[in-house]
Amino acid sequence: MRIKILAATIAALATGQALAAPEVHYDQCRQPFSYGGSSYLGTTDRDNAGVQWCYLKTPQQGSTWAVVREESIPLQKTVSGTNCAATSSYLGETFHGCSTRGHSTFWCYTDDQGSNWENCQGEDGGELLGHAQPQATALVETVAVGSCFKQQGSMGQAMARLTASQPDLFMWLGDNIYADTTDISTMRAKYDAKKANPDYRAFLEAGIPVLATWDDHDFGANNAGDNYPKRAESQQEFLRHFDVPADDPRYKGQEGIYSALIQGPAGKRVHSIMLDARYHRSPTFSSYGQCRGDASTLLGETQWAWLEAELAKPSEIKIIASGIQVLPPLHRERSLSSYCAYGNGQAFNAAVESLGESALSGTSYESWAEMPQQRERLLRLVQKAINDGKAKQVIFVSGDQHWGELLQKDIPASTEHGPAVTVFEVTASGFGQNWPYDVPNPNRLPVWADSQGDGNYGQQCVLPFKYQGISYDSCTSRDHDRPWCYTQVDGNGNGIEGQWGNCAPEGAAIPTGLVGKVPAELGAVSTADRHLINKTGSNYGQIDIDWQQRRIRLSIQSETEEVASTLVAF
């Protein structure tokens, strides 16, 4: 809808004319409304040739917006009770009332010269809505997950689509706001501005139950851990924002916002485990504090003990939430000794080798792999839980990265933890954000292929591969009537003759289950293969559980459609 307005506006501006639209009284305006990454209590002339407009409560003459008669627009008041100026001019636009443009909350000028401004009272001075709390008795069939919330771009469209889908549970995975401050009043204002956003308010009105964890920017500072000085105060603001009940242990001395909940009847239990990888986190690099070598921790021993106890509880499906990614391997294109967890290298390298990843290199951005000893501990505990019969399937969910991604890791067999197991991860990160740059990750969900067209999709594509001197990050149809890939390459990445296969299409049987959605135009949504979605304007993840078929659909959703998915048996 907004894109159409902008396109029409550009044409109108080229002729110096305001857009043809209905003219209405202010009381027909939807309040507040969002446009171009800002919200308004009032009206704006933004992208409309100096003419004030608003979105409508009810469409008129086929239009969702209208020009507003300026004499009908009331004055708004500031938090001090002062009237806003009749108009405020800022960054090339003039608005009546209040706007969040350039601010985290509604504001206006209080004089005609634009010298003084104050925060506004908010939407009709009304109460902010609260988050619905999940109930243990509820049957969970759909879980949506997301992170990195910014009031810009296609955020509103993505939130509206998410809200309309009515999942049984939504998990916030961190960067729920961009606080980046030690000023707790500023942090609170940013949380409240999020609740006041009309698109988020509609989500709250829908009553979708919410669980949440945090990452660095809502915790308080970029890449911060236990060096952040206001972590206790930040915890209180997090609990306040998510309307956590007063009897929750996180209000009563627990250091960190980790939590867990088992929902559903016997045989259909979903165990949500929300980790806190910030409160007790040791420095990952020396720029964040004194390195601690083998003593480095991501969770702290109290949380580790809690996690072990949670993993020992029986359930069919465990969903483990982390602000940062879990499954990508260590990034090896920097000096290993630069990692604070390196120490003398023995335990560090042993942990990498134990998981069969000595020859792999993953994302250079934050992940559990920056502390391999901690990552191995987590994965081995999960492996033990599965082998002990405490879970049939474990799925990690994570945010932070500003892209969507589906991942898979085969945890090698262990004398202590039992046979090899396969776990999955859904990274969902970007309401109004994306990161259209290829990021290597050998633990991304494989693309499966058959053997020279035999129809049995049991081999993994080697990506990237080279064919006739050109490197391919995904399946190609070059010189073939179907997408294909090499399944073996030589030391230079060149495909080995005869070692190729057709890539598995939608619905094809693969070793872990079935292929789900394959992007129709991969280049429009990804810089790499079908399981990295980093070009859409927004993304969130979804886990759909079919209890009768014993099948889980893991997917990345955009603001308009399901983009990529896989179906996993359990």
Side-chain angles (χ1 to χ4, degrees), residues 27-79:
D27 63 12
Q28 294 171 280
C29 292
R30 173 155 56 92
Q31 294 293 304
F33 68 91
S34 292
Y35 177 73
S38 301
S39 296
Y40 298 88
L41 279 171
T43 65
T44 179
D45 69 356
R46 191 171 175 183
D47 296 330
N48 197 31
V51 178
Q52 294 292 314
W53 67 275
C54 70
Y55 281 121
L56 293 167
K57 295 176 182 176
T58 304
Q60 295 188 26
Q61 301 174 29
S63 178
T64 59
W65 67 281
V67 170
V68 183
R69 294 197 292 274
E70 294 196 44
E71 71 275 7
S72 72
I73 304 172
L75 295 177
Q76 298 285 343
K77 288 187 179 293
T78 69
V79 290

Side-chain angles (χ1 to χ4, degrees), residues 298-312:
L298 268 166
L299 303 183
E301 284 306 313
T302 299
Q303 188 178 176
W304 274 116
W306 167 87
L307 176 59
E308 288 193 46
E310 288 296 326
L311 290 172

Side-chain angles (χ1 to χ4, degrees), residues 133-461:
Q133 302 302 310
Q135 303 301 311
T137 56
L139 175 65
V140 175
E141 296 178 311
T142 300
V143 179
V145 299
S147 66
C148 301
F149 181 88
K150 282 235 173 171
Q151 298 182 37
Q152 63 185 26
S154 63
M155 176 280 295
Q157 190 177 2
M159 286 300 301
R161 184 166 181 266
L162 165 66
T163 300
S165 72
Q166 287 289 300
D168 300 309
L169 178 67
F170 184 79
M171 292 183 175
W172 278 111
L173 303 175
D175 294 341
N176 307 298
I177 58 168
Y178 284 77
D180 296 302
T181 183
T182 56
D183 183 340
I184 300 303
S185 63
T186 296
M187 181 178 289
R188 175 172 291 197
K190 290 184 176 183
Y191 272 130
D192 287 352
K194 178 185 177 185
K195 278 188 172 179
N197 174 273
D199 300 300
Y200 198 73
R201 185 178 179 88
F203 169 80
L204 296 174
E205 287 174 339
I208 297 168
V210 168
L211 290 174
T213 188
W214 58 18
D215 198 36
D216 51 349
H217 295 290
D218 45 347
F219 177 61
N222 186 49
N223 292 357
D226 64 5
N227 61 315
Y228 177 64
K230 293 295 185 73
R231 54 185 182 158
E233 295 87 343
S234 179
Q235 175 168 324
Q236 295 305 306
E237 291 306 312
F238 173 94
L239 299 175
R240 172 185 176 271
H241 172 69
F242 285 108
D243 306 288
V244 173
D247 60 352
D248 191 281
R250 290 171 288 179
Y251 280 120
K252 301 179 178 181
Q254 176 180 305
E255 295 183 330
I257 51 89
Y258 54 92
S259 66
L261 177 66
I262 297 177
Q263 294 177 273
K268 297 181 179 181
R269 293 164 295 185
V270 173
H271 190 178
S272 300
I273 300 174
M274 314 299 292
L275 300 180
D276 180 345
R278 289 292 166 189
Y279 199 100
H280 297 283
R281 175 193 178 115
S282 303
T284 48
F285 297 95
S286 59
S287 56
Y288 302 117
Q290 183 66 43
C291 289
R292 299 170 196 167
D294 293 343
S296 298
T297 186
L298 268 166
L299 303 183
E301 284 306 313
T302 299
Q303 188 178 176
W304 274 116
W306 167 87
L307 176 59
E308 288 193 46
E310 288 296 326
L311 290 172
K313 297 176 182 178
S315 63
E316 282 62 49
I317 298 169
K318 294 190 190 300
I319 302 174
I320 303 178
S322 166
I324 57 174
Q325 286 188 301
V326 176
L327 295 186
L330 177 72
H331 181 68
R332 306 187 72 87
E333 296 180 17
R334 60 166 66 101
S335 170
L336 297 187
S337 63
S338 69
Y339 291 103
C340 269
Y342 189 75
N344 64 13
Q346 294 182 5
F348 185 99
N349 289 322
V352 174
E353 183 178 359
S354 169
L355 294 174
E357 296 178 341
S358 296
L360 302 183
S361 181
T363 176
S364 62
Y365 301 105
E366 276 196 301
S367 75
W368 275 72
E370 291 177 337
M371 295 185 190
Q373 306 96 310
Q374 294 281 284
R375 178 170 173 266
E376 185 198 12
R377 183 176 181 178
L378 175 64
L379 294 181
R380 293 301 190 188
L381 286 176
V382 165
Q383 178 182 29
K384 186 176 187 302
I386 295 173
N387 285 324
D388 286 349
K390 304 303 181 183
K392 298 185 182 301
Q393 192 58 256
V394 174
I395 301 159
F396 293 99
V397 291
S398 58
D400 180 53
Q401 307 289 7
H402 298 181
W403 64 75
E405 190 170 19
L406 299 177
L407 301 88
Q408 174 183 321
K409 170 66 181 172
D410 299 324
I411 305 174
S414 159
T415 301
E416 181 180 355
H417 302 97
V421 300
T422 300
V423 295
F424 299 86
E425 182 170 357
V426 178
T427 296
S429 172
F431 283 100
Q433 302 193 77
N434 61 18
W435 189 252
Y437 310 99
D438 193 8
V439 179
N441 181 7
N443 286 342
R444 191 171 297 142
L445 195 74
V447 178
W448 294 91
D450 63 14
S451 179
Q452 300 184 37
D454 68 1
N456 297 312
Y457 299 100
Q459 301 190 80
Q460 293 186 15
C461 293

